[in-house]
C-alpha cells in the first residue's frame, strides 16, 4: 500500500488487500476453505453441533454445542483431521482442539 497523507481516506479494498497479502492475519487465506468444506467432511449431524472457530499455526479449534459432542468429536478427531486434509489437498491442519462453547 502506498503512503498517503494522514488526512486522506484509504479505500477499504486497499486495506483488505494489504491484510490478505502482508501476513498480518493469523491464518493463511487458503485456510478459510476449512469453513466451506466442514459440513462435507464431518457430515450433516456433526456439522449441526460443531463448527471450526479458528485456525492458528495449523491448529484448528472446533467449538461444539455440549460435552456429549465434545466426547464424540474427540473420539473421531484423527479421522476428521485426515479427511479434512485430504479434502483440502494439503496438510492444512496438524492438530484439532475441541471445546464446548456457543456456536
Amino acid at each position: 500500500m502506498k503512503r498517503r497523507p494522514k488526512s486522506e481516506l484509504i479505500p477499504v479494498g486497499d486495506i483488505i488487500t494489504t491484510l490478505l497479502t502482508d501476513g498480518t492475519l493469523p491464518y493463511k487465506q487458503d485456510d478459510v476453505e476449512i469453513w466451506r468444506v466442514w459440513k462435507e467432511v464431518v457430515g450433516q449431524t456433526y456439522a449441526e453441533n460443531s463448527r471450526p472457530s479458528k485456525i492458528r499455526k495449523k491448529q484448528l479449534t472446533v467449538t461444539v454445542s455440549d460435552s456429549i459432542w465434545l466426547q464424540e468429536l474427540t473420539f473421531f478427531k484423527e479421522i476428521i483431521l485426515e479427511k479434512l486434509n485430504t479434502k483440502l489437498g494439503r496438510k492444512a491442519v496438524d492438530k484439532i482442539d475441541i471445546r464446548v462453547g456457543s456456536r
Side-chain angles (χ1 to χ4, degrees):
M1 197 161 46
K2 59 184 176 182
R3 285 273 194 219
R4 301 171 195 264
K6 287 185 178 187
S7 61
E8 187 177 333
L9 297 176
I10 301 171
V12 172
D14 288 354
I15 294 170
I16 292 171
T17 299
T18 300
L19 286 172
L20 294 174
T21 58
D22 74 353
T24 303
L25 295 175
Y27 61 87
K28 295 178 182 172
Q29 187 176 358
D30 292 342
D31 290 342
V32 174
E33 192 74 5
I34 293 167
W35 280 257
R36 191 184 68 73
V37 300
W38 183 253
K39 182 178 176 182
E40 191 175 339
V41 168
V42 300
Q44 178 70 33
T45 303
Y46 282 80
E48 289 174 359
N49 293 284
S50 67
R51 67 169 170 78
S53 47
K54 71 178 178 179
I55 178 123
R56 184 170 202 140
K57 297 181 181 179
K58 294 191 174 195
Q59 179 173 321
L60 177 65
T61 302
V62 175
T63 303
V64 295
S65 55
D66 57 46
S67 59
I68 294 169
W69 286 104
L70 173 69
Q71 184 176 0
E72 184 75 13
L73 262 76
T74 299
F75 186 72
F76 289 109
K77 76 178 173 180
E78 292 302 318
I79 294 168
I80 294 168
L81 177 71
E82 184 179 322
K83 286 175 72 176
L84 185 59
N85 284 328
T86 299
K87 182 68 179 172
L88 296 171
R90 63 189 173 87
K91 187 155 179 151
V93 179
D94 287 333
K95 182 179 176 190
I96 297 176
D97 181 36
I98 303 167
R99 300 178 182 186
V100 175
S102 59
R103 295 187 359 82

